Amino acid sequence: MEKAFLVGVNLNDGEDYLLSLEELGALAQACDMEVVDVAEQTLPEVHKAFYIGTGKVEEVKELALECDADVIIFDNSLSPMQLRNLQERLDKPVLDRSTLILDIFASRARSREAKLQVEVARLQYMLPRLVGLHAALSRQGGGSGALSNKGAGEKKLELDRRVLERRLTELRRELKDVSGERMTQRKRRAGSGMPRVALVGYTNAGKSTLMNAMLDLYGSEEIDIEEKKVMEKDMLFATLDTTVRKIEPGNHHAFLLSDTVGFIHKLPHHLVEAFHSTLEEAREADILLQVVDYSDPHYREQIAVTNQTLKELGADGIPMLYVYNKSDLVMPDDIPGLAGIEPEQLKSQLPIMSENSIYLSAKNRIGMEELIRLIEKKLSGGYRECTLCIPYTDGRAVSYLNEYAVVYETEYLENGVRLRVNCRVEDYGYYERYVVENKSKNIT
């Protein structure tokens, strides 16, 4: 296991700085590194040449040498010049926060699309920083064929840059094809008329755990539940690949639930850009479930980061429910309405609901039914309860409503099939000719 030495600079950021440095340690651990020491410095602004002060550079060099660190990691993005200067002075591999996150993404990507997205982001980030990546890039280079140099004196740096630019062009072309396939799948799902619900939130808040809990309790009987589950693990960015699963909660409307990549403080811009097609699942959802780790003391800051990222994606106008997960791990006084009860009674008092939020525990399957009701209530504006009598000649309509509406009663009469359903407003309009009775109130 590699030993990592962390370096942070406090630019009068207050708690944001402490949170960011704490997360940097967690990111290093997620990348299978052991954090051996941390150096901090308070500055009015970063040093243009070294990010930290010149005296601090020498101190970091000595401390990293004493604790036998293999790599030095800075808690911010370094400019190409800063990276080059630090590599020369510190005499050890230097990473910044963005590179570390990109490395984690590269190791966790499983699907073809995720691997392409990560590689595109890595190359975009590497291109301007080639000069600081390794000393070998300063050598003179030669060659022949497609990769030949333009002249006898061209540096290897220029050759490497041309190779990366060519690879980046190829990857973007391939990613465009894959993104086209995802768009086709998304249009097909939209055409089914089934509501779309997307899980969003900070990394390690419990989105995958919630997805698996929903599958356990309400997964389609037609699928192998265990095979359709996603990986859940207590670590940052345990899963990257967006998954979409059909949830069929009994006497409630079925919906499509998508799990998206988690967000984090200072998420590299190139990464958000590369994962844009994947994050479209959130932008085109009918409802967003923002999963929050309520046991984390910094959960408010994490909500702010998630909301800001959603705004950048153009998804900030979508109706949202706040799912305060891991509520069983906090003191009762921390949850609205539970002040004064004994801690051991907490689980029996959960979940606690309001119009746009719910306190629950996905791991212990506490509050799942209540969350389903909250989702349906949020979606209810687009549904209507009615009774239809469908002639036997239109069996397709009966089949469609059985799949995409909630059917409360079915009766076979001489002139057709009588159904009492709660269906989409659009479907009500389409089958209105069969309506024999309807309710003006939406079902919640």
Side-chain angles (χ1 to χ4, degrees):
M1 179 180 289
E2 279 191 312
K3 296 179 180 179
F5 186 97
L6 310 185
V7 181
V9 171
N10 184 1
L11 301 172
N12 298 316
D13 294 328
E15 289 190 5
D16 283 348
Y17 160 72
L18 296 174
L19 170 61
S20 183
L21 195 56
E22 182 182 323
E23 282 184 350
L24 186 66
L27 287 167
Q29 291 171 1
C31 211
D32 295 324
M33 296 180 184
E34 177 192 358
V35 177
V36 291
D37 205 351
V38 180
E40 302 178 50
Q41 186 174 30
T42 300
L43 292 173
E45 59 182 19
V46 297
H47 193 285
K48 289 183 180 179
F50 293 98
Y51 186 70
I52 54 178
T54 52
K56 197 69 175 179
V57 174
E58 295 306 317
E59 181 185 329
V60 168
K61 183 176 181 178
E62 291 176 11
L63 290 173
L65 194 61
E66 286 177 12
C67 59
D68 196 26
D70 299 300
V71 61
I72 299 172
I73 307 174
F74 284 74
D75 188 28
N76 217 324
S77 293
L78 299 172
S79 70
M81 181 178 66
Q82 289 167 345
L83 180 59
R84 181 185 68 243
N85 293 341
L86 287 167
Q87 295 265 63
E88 291 175 354
R89 283 285 188 93
L90 296 174
D91 221 12
K92 284 184 181 292
V94 175
L95 300 178
D96 60 13
R97 184 187 182 94
S98 296
T99 307
L100 190 60
I101 292 175
L102 289 168
D103 284 348
I104 294 171
F105 270 56
S107 65
R108 303 280 165 77
R110 293 291 177 268
S111 70
R112 176 168 166 247
E113 183 176 22
K115 289 177 180 178
L116 288 171
Q117 289 168 325
V118 172
E119 192 173 354
V120 166
R122 280 167 65 92
L123 293 184
Q124 285 180 315
Y125 196 74
M126 282 172 59
L127 267 173
R129 293 168 174 80
L130 277 177
V131 71
L133 289 176
H134 52 80
L137 292 182
S138 64
R139 296 197 313 268
Q140 299 294 314
S144 60
L147 300 182
S148 63
N149 55 4
K150 295 178 181 176
E154 185 182 32
K155 292 183 178 180
K156 185 177 184 298
L157 172 62
E158 294 304 318
L159 291 175
D160 284 347
R161 181 174 282 117
R162 293 211 317 260
V163 170
L164 292 190
E165 287 174 344
R166 188 171 301 155
R167 176 62 179 154
L168 194 53
T169 300
E170 293 171 356
L171 286 170
R172 282 174 173 154
R173 189 182 301 119
E174 194 173 350
L175 187 56
K176 187 177 180 181
D177 293 339
V178 176
S179 299
E181 294 170 12
R182 176 177 286 279
M183 190 176 295
T184 301
Q185 293 172 351
R186 194 180 295 122
K187 285 181 179 178
R188 191 180 301 124
R189 289 195 294 267
S192 72
M194 200 169 291
R196 290 168 292 175
V197 179
L199 298 170
V200 297
Y202 217 73
T203 179
N204 206 31
K207 296 184 296 299
S208 297
T209 303
L210 184 58
M211 166 74 87
N212 289 340
M214 288 280 196
L215 283 170
D216 265 340
L217 298 171
Y218 312 112
S220 172
E221 295 179 359
E222 302 170 2
I223 64 172
D224 183 339
I225 299 296
E226 291 304 315
E227 185 182 317
K228 292 296 182 180
K229 283 186 177 180
V230 295
M231 186 182 86
E232 56 179 270
K233 199 171 182 179
D234 186 15
M235 66 163 59
L236 302 185
F237 300 116
T239 54
L240 296 183
D241 300 308
T242 295
T243 54
V244 181
R245 300 289 184 261
K246 183 179 180 181
I247 305 299
E248 299 180 307
N251 289 328
H252 299 281
H253 287 282
F255 58 86
L256 296 174
L257 182 65
S258 61
D259 183 15
T260 59
V261 64
F263 305 138
I264 196 170
H265 191 51
K266 301 177 186 174
L267 190 64
H269 173 72
H270 291 313
L271 205 52
V272 175
E273 190 178 90
F275 273 75
H276 201 274
S277 63
T278 304
L279 293 169
E280 287 282 333
E281 296 290 348
R283 200 169 73 173
E284 297 190 9
D286 297 295
I287 291 180
L288 297 179
L289 301 186
Q290 183 172 162
V291 184
V292 180
D293 179 357
Y294 195 55
S295 68
D296 192 308
H298 304 292
Y299 77 90
R300 288 187 179 87
E301 291 90 336
Q302 295 174 357
I303 290 174
V305 170
T306 299
N307 288 341
Q308 179 58 37
T309 308
L310 289 172
K311 185 176 181 180
E312 291 171 10
L313 291 168
D316 53 324
I318 299 173
M320 184 185 295
L321 295 175
Y322 290 88
V323 181
Y324 294 104
N325 189 30
K326 309 183 189 181
S327 294
D328 56 317
L329 302 179
V330 304
M331 294 299 291
D333 290 353
D334 294 332
I335 300 179
L338 293 186
I341 73 164
E342 296 298 319
E344 58 267 20
Q345 293 179 304
L346 177 58
K347 287 185 181 180
S348 63
Q349 298 294 322
L350 291 175
I352 297 293
M353 289 193 300
S354 65
E355 184 179 354
N356 292 310
S357 64
I358 180 170
Y359 297 80
L360 50 71
S361 171
K363 183 178 180 179
N364 294 304
R365 308 303 192 249
I366 298 173
M368 295 299 103
E369 177 64 27
E370 290 78 5
L371 177 58
I372 291 293
R373 291 207 299 268
L374 207 56
I375 291 171
E376 185 155 73
K377 186 176 181 180
K378 202 74 173 176
L379 289 168
S380 64
Y383 288 87
R384 186 165 184 177
E385 183 181 346
C386 60
T387 301
L388 309 94
C389 187
I390 302 173
Y392 291 110
T393 53
D394 195 355
R396 182 178 295 180
V398 176
S399 177
Y400 177 87
L401 290 170
N402 271 300
E403 184 170 0
Y404 296 114
V406 176
V407 179
Y408 299 115
E409 294 176 9
T410 302
E411 186 178 1
Y412 295 92
L413 307 174
E414 288 185 12
N415 58 335
V417 183
R418 184 177 179 276
L419 299 175
R420 185 167 73 86
V421 304
N422 185 15
C423 64
R424 293 192 314 150
V425 170
E426 293 89 340
D427 292 335
Y428 174 86
Y430 187 79
Y431 295 113
E432 190 173 9
R433 62 189 182 280
Y434 297 143
V435 173
V436 293
E437 178 188 342
N438 64 67
K439 291 192 176 184
S440 57
K441 265 197 326 186
N442 293 324
I443 297 299
T444 62

